[in-house]
């Protein structure tokens, strides 16, 4: 009887901890002693002794943790010990941690995602004006671009394209209308960059940069009124072409280590002695648009040895604006990133003096550059690079599904081979996931958020998975994909894919340091408060409250995770209105497991999490996959739950759950304290691995849906530039694809006739003649077959160059030196 009572009491305690972990539970203590009296009356001596020990221990816990004078004894010991052990944090790291906001990833992080919040959040929409610009000006710009000619022959966009970009305000997409810009939403910005990027990666970069992290963005948020009124109209009209110079040879991802110096000093400007900055030994590289920039944004470390700032502004990383022709400024040299023709180059200054008013935001903003950059970066990373990564996945999926029906081997469209099906399903699923995550993260920006963690998730996973989709596309195209030329619609995207991986925070750093590192501080309800109380002065009381809040939260997460694990998530929170309710429950179950493992890592690894990058990366993977699963469910619901989307949603959810589960296993298998890792694994995965990757059957269904031009594929296509014009290679692929689809019923009839012995097997041309003679097909249907065969034959051809068009052939002396004239 005693054991049953203890078990029941323990369960009741856990329930209380689940709901009200910090309540003064005198009521439970009273029930415990009533139970003890009962045991004295009817139990044995052993049971009385056992229960007495249990009750005394429990009463001690209740009293100790809820009476502050007693609790302070323990918390003071922990406080002073932790204060000595906590790793230091630099001012720049603190700025990075403080900058930006959390978004829905905080729901995932804390183990109890609220799906009502998910579905009631901002919906991705374009205004009528924005949609019109996307349908007309953006499509017209795409039609003017010859990617092969611009990328490999001219190494630049034509003059008429530059003029069109200026005239139509492509450099002022996000500049407010009061300054002459379009004032478009983040959603429109993303859609426009994405569509252009499906036509030309380097054109997409050209439009992306002035509207992302750069002078325009910084001026809008931090510039003085004088700076805004002068520069923003000029930027919006394309009178000024901006660039922003941050990265240098010794400072890439670690931007705070830039050696470029500026010293506050008095100097001459326009014949007058003014307070300013002497810039010395500035050396920047990888600066997009620098070779053609007329306005250069520059980041440097400001020093003020003579205290000339006089309390207005501070030394530290500072951002300023310089006209391209300012004395001492050297720009113009070009770099060639992965053979991509977008303008990229160097910015150098040996010595130059600039007025203090050229600091963005004026003198008062001196030393505030790092905060400005970090806050703006969270917006840029949410929009531009995710748009480019998604563009690659969508375009690859649309064109490869078409090519897989056009290209035949062994008298069968290659899309029907299981190996191709597997890759095609992966592409379609990833494209759907990336687009959903892109839109969901954009929603945060359009809601007024600066999503620091969500932007890192989007930047990393959308560029990485975009590259994965493109690699699959290249594998399916095989030889057709590797021969360069005007008719290769994948090669320039393939060459440019690594660029998105490396810029605005290299992906290795983003995954290993930023996603979970920032997420831990931004999303955990108590951790940042604890950290700040330890690194500040006299923070004991704040520490005590936050510490025991953490203890209560840890207890909740433990109970929740074990309960959902033991019950396989049967009682986890779902979304009953959805046909995917079971997946909502699975997300909740894994989210609760993640919260427990994350809390355990914080407790048992502590400050070393900053250095245990692989643990941090895997925890970030769990959070990221659950975030993208939630984004997919929101996208599906927001788009009226299209029937054709259902298999894509199921594929994405199974892909995300499988990868999140595996990442958790990897964390626990490599946990610092192996015994704790094993115990946690038993708690959160008592039955082993529960989730499997998408099945072969689901892969087959998804790939066949794409091959048969389902509604979802057409939605993908609408986001890309795919003109159905015969003089455009992309358009010709789509025309040929539809022509091939039109032959499917005819071919099926012929196949049935062969199976029924009405026709003999043989060469297709002879079979068609026999089918016509037998009345199985008509002359009109033969014309349909001939047209499709002709169009398909054009598509599978590759570009050829003349004997000396690509250069000399020096193997034979008599041919040496010959080139195309």
């Amino acid at each position: 009887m005693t054991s049953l009572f203890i078990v029941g009491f323990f369960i009741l305690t856990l329930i209380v901890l689940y709901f009200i972990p910090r309540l003064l539970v005198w009521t439970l203590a009273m029930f415990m002693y009533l139970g003890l009296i009962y045991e004295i009356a009817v139990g044995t001596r052993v049971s009385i002794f056992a229960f007495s020990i249990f009750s005394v221990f429990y009463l001690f816990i209740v009293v100790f943790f809820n009476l502050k004078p007693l609790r302070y004894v323990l918390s003071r010991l922990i406080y002073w010990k932790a204060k000595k052990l906590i790793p230091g944090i630099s001012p720049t790291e603190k700025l990075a941690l403080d900058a930006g906001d959390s978004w829905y990833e905080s729901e995932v992080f804390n183990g109890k995602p609220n799906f009502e919040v998910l579905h009631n959040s901002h919906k991705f929409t374009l205004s009528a004006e924005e949609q019109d610009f996307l349908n007309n000006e953006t499509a017209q710009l795409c039609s003017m671009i010859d990617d092969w000619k611009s990328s490999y022959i001219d190494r630049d966009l034509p003059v008429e394209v530059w003029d069109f970009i200026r005239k139509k305000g492509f450099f002022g997409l996000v500049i407010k209308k009061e300054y002459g810009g379009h004032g478009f939403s983040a959603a429109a910005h993303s859609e426009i960059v994405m569509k252009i990027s499906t036509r030309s990666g380097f054109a997409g970069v050209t439009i992306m940069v002035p509207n992302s992290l750069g002078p325009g963005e910084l001026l809008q948020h931090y510039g003085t009124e004088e700076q805004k009124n002068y520069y923003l109209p000029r930027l919006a009209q394309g009178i000024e072409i901006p660039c922003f110079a941050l990265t240098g040879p010794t400072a890439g991802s670690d931007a705070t280590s830039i050696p470029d110096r500026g010293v506050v000093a008095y100097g001459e400007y326009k014949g007058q002695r003014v307070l300013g900055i002497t810039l010395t030994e500035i050396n920047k590289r990888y600066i997009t648009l620098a070779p053609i920039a007329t306005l250069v944004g520059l980041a440097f470390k400001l020093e003020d040895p003579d205290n000339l700032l006089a309390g207005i502004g501070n030394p530290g990383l500072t951002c300023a604006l310089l006209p391209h022709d300012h004395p001492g400024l050297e720009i113009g040299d070009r770099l060639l990133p992965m053979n991509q023709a977008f303008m990229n180059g160097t910015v150098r200054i040996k010595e130059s003096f600039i007025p203090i008013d050229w600091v963005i935001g004026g003198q008062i903003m001196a030393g505030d550059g790092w905060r400005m950059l970090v806050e703006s970066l969270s917006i840029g990373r949410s929009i531009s690079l995710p748009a480019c990564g998604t563009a690659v996945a969508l375009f690859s999926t649309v064109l490869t599904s078409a090519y897989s029906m056009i290209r035949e081997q062994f008298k069968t469209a290659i899309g029907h081979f299981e190996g191709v099906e597997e890759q095609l399903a992966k592409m379609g699923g990833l494209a759907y996931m990336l687009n959903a995550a892109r839109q969901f993260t954009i929603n945060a920006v359009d809601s007024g958020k600066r999503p620091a963690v969500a932007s890192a998730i989007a930047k990393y996973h959308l560029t990485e998975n975009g590259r994965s989709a493109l690699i699959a596309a290249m594998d399916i195209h095989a030889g057709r994909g590797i021969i360069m030329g005007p008719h290769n619609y994948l090669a320039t995207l393939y060459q440019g894919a690594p660029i998105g991986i490396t810029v605005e925070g290299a992906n290795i750093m983003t995954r290993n340091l930023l996603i979970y590192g920032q997420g831990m501080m931004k999303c955990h309800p108590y951790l940042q408060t604890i950290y700040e109380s330890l690194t500040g002065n006299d923070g004991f009381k704040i520490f005590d409250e936050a510490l025991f809040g953490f203890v209560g939260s840890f207890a909740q997460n433990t109970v929740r995770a074990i309960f959902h694990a033991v019950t396989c998530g049967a009682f986890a929170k779902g979304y009953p209105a959805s046909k995917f309710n079971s997946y909502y429950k699975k997300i909740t179950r894994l989210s609760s497991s993640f919260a427990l493992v994350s809390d355990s890592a914080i407790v048992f690894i502590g400050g070393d999490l900053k250095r245990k990058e692989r643990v941090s990366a895997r925890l970030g993977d769990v959070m990221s996959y659950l975030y993208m699963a939630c984004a997919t469910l929101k996208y599906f619901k927001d788009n009226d739950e299209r029937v054709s989307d259902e298999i894509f949603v199921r594929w994405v959810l199974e892909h995300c759950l499988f990868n999140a589960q595996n990442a958790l296993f990897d964390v626990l298998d490599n946990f610092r304290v192996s015994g704790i890792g094993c115990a946690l694994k038993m708690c959160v995965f008592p039955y082993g691995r529960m989730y499997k990757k998408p099945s072969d059957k689901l892969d087959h269904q998804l790939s066949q849906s794409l091959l048969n031009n389902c509604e979802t594929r057409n939605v993908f296509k609408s986001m890309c530039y795919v003109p159905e014009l015969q003089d455009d290679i992309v358009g010709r692929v789509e025309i040929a694809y539809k022509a091939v689809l039109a032959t499917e019923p005819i071919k099926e009839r012929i196949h049935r006739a062969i199976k029924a012995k009405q026709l003999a097997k043989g060469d297709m041309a002879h079979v068609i003649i026999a089918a016509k003679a037998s009345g199985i097909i008509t002359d009109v249907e033969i014309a349909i077959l001939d047209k499709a065969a002709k169009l398909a034959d054009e598509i599978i051809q590759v570009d050829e160059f003349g004997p000396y068009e690509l250069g000399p052939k020096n193997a034979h002396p008599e041919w040496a030196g010959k080139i195309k004239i």
Side-chain angles (χ1 to χ4, degrees):
M1 184 68 188
T2 301
S3 58
L4 288 176
F5 190 89
I6 292 175
V7 170
F9 183 77
F10 179 68
I11 292 172
L12 185 59
T13 304
L14 291 181
I15 292 171
V16 171
L17 284 172
Y18 184 96
F19 291 107
I20 41 176
R22 304 198 63 198
L23 183 69
L24 191 61
V25 286
W26 298 117
T27 306
L28 283 179
M30 181 184 69
F31 278 118
M32 181 173 64
Y33 283 102
L34 287 175
L36 179 59
I37 291 169
Y38 174 81
E39 287 296 329
I40 291 172
V42 301
T44 65
R45 291 183 178 180
V46 175
S47 65
I48 293 171
F49 177 76
F51 202 80
S52 297
I53 294 296
F54 180 81
S55 60
V56 169
F57 174 76
Y58 185 78
L59 184 61
F60 171 77
I61 295 295
V62 169
V63 172
F64 188 87
F65 279 89
N66 289 279
L67 292 182
K68 288 186 178 180
L70 291 176
R71 193 177 76 195
Y72 280 175
V73 175
L74 176 62
S75 56
R76 279 191 188 279
L77 290 173
I78 298 173
Y79 175 74
W80 291 112
K81 181 72 172 176
K83 200 170 178 66
K84 293 177 183 177
L85 295 176
I86 199 79
I89 184 169
S90 68
T92 52
E93 285 179 307
K94 188 175 188 312
L95 276 174
L97 291 173
D98 290 343
D101 308 305
S102 61
W103 176 234
Y104 193 77
E105 73 280 357
S106 63
E107 297 278 337
V108 171
F109 190 97
N110 290 310
K112 41 187 176 182
N114 187 326
F115 299 118
E116 283 74 23
V117 169
L118 173 71
H119 291 303
N120 290 330
S121 63
H122 184 87
K123 185 176 179 180
F124 187 93
T125 53
L126 300 185
S127 68
E129 180 187 2
E130 291 169 342
Q131 189 66 56
D132 183 71
F133 189 91
L134 181 66
N135 293 342
N136 294 292
E137 284 87 345
T138 305
Q140 187 177 349
L141 174 60
C142 290
S143 71
M144 298 171 69
I145 298 170
D146 182 335
D147 194 45
W148 169 260
K149 187 171 185 294
S150 295
S151 296
Y152 300 104
I153 298 174
D154 297 337
R155 301 287 186 184
D156 195 3
L157 294 170
V159 172
E160 58 270 21
V161 172
W162 281 110
D163 288 345
F164 185 83
I165 288 171
R166 287 191 178 94
K167 181 180 177 182
K168 298 300 181 180
F170 278 92
F171 288 156
L173 296 177
V174 298
I175 293 175
K176 294 177 181 177
K177 289 187 176 183
E178 63 191 272
Y179 299 111
H182 289 293
F184 284 164
S185 64
H189 177 189
S190 176
E191 291 284 304
I192 291 165
V193 168
M194 187 171 74
K195 177 156 280 192
I196 295 170
S197 297
T198 65
R199 181 59 165 178
S200 167
F202 95 80
V205 170
T206 300
I207 302 302
M208 173 186 86
V209 169
N211 291 288
S212 185
L213 178 61
E217 179 75 18
L218 295 173
L219 282 169
Q220 282 209 119
H221 292 287
Y222 310 103
T224 64
E225 287 303 313
E226 183 180 1
Q227 289 171 341
K228 291 179 183 178
N229 290 331
Y230 179 75
Y231 283 118
L232 289 178
R234 295 172 65 83
L235 288 167
Q237 297 168 39
I239 297 171
E240 302 279 10
I241 295 178
C243 73
F244 191 82
L246 173 62
T247 304
T250 61
S253 296
D254 182 15
T256 59
S257 67
I258 57 175
D260 314 280
R261 295 175 63 248
V263 179
V264 182
Y266 281 96
E268 290 286 326
Y269 180 68
K270 292 185 176 180
Q272 293 185 338
R273 186 171 183 267
V274 298
L275 182 64
I277 302 167
T278 300
L279 300 168
T280 55
E281 300 302 324
I282 304 294
N283 185 15
K284 306 288 190 180
R285 65 181 184 186
Y286 310 150
I287 312 305
T288 300
L289 297 186
I292 57 168
T294 61
L295 182 64
V296 178
L298 185 68
F300 55 90
K301 281 185 177 176
L302 182 64
E303 300 173 4
D304 185 21
D306 299 324
N307 199 27
L308 297 178
L309 292 175
I312 303 174
N314 297 287
L317 201 145
T318 300
C319 301
L321 294 175
L322 286 71
H324 73 287
D325 55 358
H326 184 66
L329 176 62
E330 302 173 12
I331 61 174
D333 288 351
R334 288 185 67 175
L335 304 176
L336 188 60
M338 294 304 294
N339 214 27
Q340 301 293 291
F342 65 85
M343 293 293 167
N344 188 277
T346 60
V347 172
R348 295 189 177 99
I349 296 175
K350 291 183 180 178
E351 184 173 334
S352 182
F353 177 81
I354 64 171
I356 197 74
D357 292 344
W358 288 10
V359 171
I360 296 176
Q363 181 178 337
I364 191 68
M365 295 298 287
D368 234 1
W370 183 237
R371 178 177 66 85
M372 292 160 60
L373 293 174
V374 171
E375 288 178 351
S376 298
L377 190 64
S378 67
I379 295 178
R381 278 200 303 214
S382 300
I383 302 171
S384 305
L385 292 170
C388 294
T390 306
V392 168
L394 291 171
F395 183 79
S396 298
T397 301
V398 170
L399 270 291
T400 306
S401 58
Y403 185 78
S404 297
M405 281 298 290
I406 294 168
R407 177 64 166 164
E408 290 189 355
Q409 290 288 275
F410 308 103
K411 300 181 181 179
T412 303
I414 61 172
H416 297 309
F417 291 102
E418 286 194 354
V420 173
E421 278 188 348
E422 179 183 10
Q423 296 303 313
L424 195 55
K426 173 184 172 183
M427 293 169 63
L430 290 179
Y432 194 94
M433 180 182 78
L434 268 53
N435 191 48
R438 174 187 70 92
Q439 290 195 6
F440 188 44
T441 308
I442 290 294
N443 292 345
V445 179
D446 279 335
S447 299
K449 299 277 188 180
R450 293 175 176 269
V453 182
S455 68
I457 291 172
K459 192 273 175 180
Y460 173 78
H461 286 278
L462 273 59
T463 55
E464 284 290 347
N465 284 290
R467 177 166 65 172
S468 295
L470 183 52
I471 290 172
M474 291 291 288
D475 287 351
I476 292 172
H477 278 76
R480 174 68 175 81
I482 63 172
I483 300 300
M484 300 290 290
H487 297 96
N488 190 324
Y489 41 81
L490 292 177
T492 54
L493 289 176
Y494 185 76
Q495 283 185 317
I499 297 172
I501 304 298
T502 62
V503 299
E504 293 192 19
N507 274 11
I508 290 176
M509 183 199 72
T510 301
R511 175 174 177 259
N512 285 269
L513 297 178
L514 289 184
I515 295 176
Y516 182 74
Q518 277 193 312
M520 179 173 59
M521 301 301 280
K522 283 286 176 193
C523 301
H524 196 284
Y526 299 104
L527 192 60
Q528 188 160 2
T529 305
I530 291 173
Y531 197 93
E532 288 173 350
S533 70
L534 290 170
T535 54
N537 295 321
D538 195 24
F540 169 70
K541 288 188 177 180
I542 297 172
F543 173 82
D544 174 77
E545 289 294 323
L547 175 65
F548 286 96
F550 181 96
V551 171
S553 176
F554 196 168
Q556 278 187 316
N557 289 338
T558 302
V559 175
R560 186 187 301 113
I562 294 173
F563 178 71
H564 289 328
V566 171
T567 60
C568 298
F571 302 99
K573 185 172 183 179
Y575 196 72
S578 173
K579 62 183 66 179
F580 292 106
N581 185 44
S582 64
Y583 287 99
Y584 283 91
K585 288 174 173 284
K586 291 172 183 176
I587 290 170
T588 300
R589 184 237 164 132
L590 270 184
S591 176
S592 67
S593 298
F594 167 77
L596 172 58
V597 174
S598 174
D599 281 350
S600 301
I602 292 167
V603 170
F604 293 104
I605 301 177
D608 279 349
L609 267 175
K610 185 178 177 181
R611 291 173 286 275
K612 294 292 182 182
E613 296 176 22
R614 298 184 73 177
V615 172
S616 177
R618 290 160 180 154
L619 287 168
D621 288 344
V622 182
M623 182 167 63
S624 299
Y625 280 112
L626 295 179
Y627 173 84
M628 291 188 290
C630 291
T632 299
L633 289 165
K634 177 172 172 59
Y635 176 86
F636 178 64
K637 187 173 186 299
D638 284 354
N639 287 276
D640 302 321
E641 301 186 346
R642 282 187 296 261
V643 174
S644 67
D645 282 15
E646 290 180 10
I647 52 176
F648 290 82
V649 174
R650 186 169 288 107
W651 191 97
V652 171
L653 294 175
E654 293 186 6
H655 171 78
C656 288
L657 291 169
F658 175 75
N659 282 287
Q661 167 193 257
N662 287 353
L664 265 180
F665 263 92
D666 287 344
V667 170
L668 298 175
D669 286 341
N670 294 278
F671 207 77
R672 182 177 186 175
V673 184
S674 58
I676 299 295
C678 292
L680 286 170
K681 195 184 296 184
M682 292 176 64
C683 289
V684 298
F685 294 113
Y687 313 118
R689 296 179 195 259
M690 297 291 292
Y691 307 118
K692 299 179 180 179
K693 65 180 181 180
S695 67
D696 293 354
K697 181 180 178 181
L698 185 56
D699 279 354
H700 171 76
Q701 291 172 339
L702 196 153
S703 63
Q704 291 304 307
S705 178
L706 286 170
L707 293 173
N708 290 308
N709 201 23
C710 64
E711 184 181 0
T712 305
R713 180 185 181 274
N714 281 290
V715 171
F716 288 177
K717 188 175 75 172
S718 70
M719 298 178 193
C720 306
Y721 181 71
V722 183
E724 295 193 28
L725 301 171
Q726 193 62 38
D727 63 351
D728 184 286
I729 179 57
V730 172
R732 285 204 296 278
V733 172
E734 188 68 10
I735 291 169
Y737 165 63
K738 290 185 174 178
V740 169
L741 282 181
T743 68
E744 287 298 291
I746 305 170
K747 289 179 178 178
E748 178 60 26
R749 203 180 319 140
I750 292 172
H751 178 72
R752 287 200 304 268
I754 293 173
K755 204 169 183 181
K757 307 295 185 181
Q758 295 174 319
L759 292 173
K761 292 182 180 180
D763 180 78
M764 191 61 178
H766 293 100
V767 171
I768 289 172
I769 294 171
K772 168 64 171 63
S774 303
I776 295 171
I777 59 175
T778 65
D779 286 333
V780 172
E781 290 171 327
I782 290 176
I784 292 172
L785 290 168
D786 287 344
K787 177 184 176 182
K790 181 175 180 295
L791 291 171
D793 187 65
E794 290 177 0
I795 296 304
I796 66 173
Q797 302 307 317
V798 298
D799 293 287
E800 299 178 11
F801 298 89
Y804 299 100
E805 194 171 353
L806 297 180
K809 297 188 289 186
N810 294 329
H812 301 287
E814 63 271 23
W815 295 351
K818 289 186 179 181
I819 59 171
K820 178 185 175 183
I821 305 301

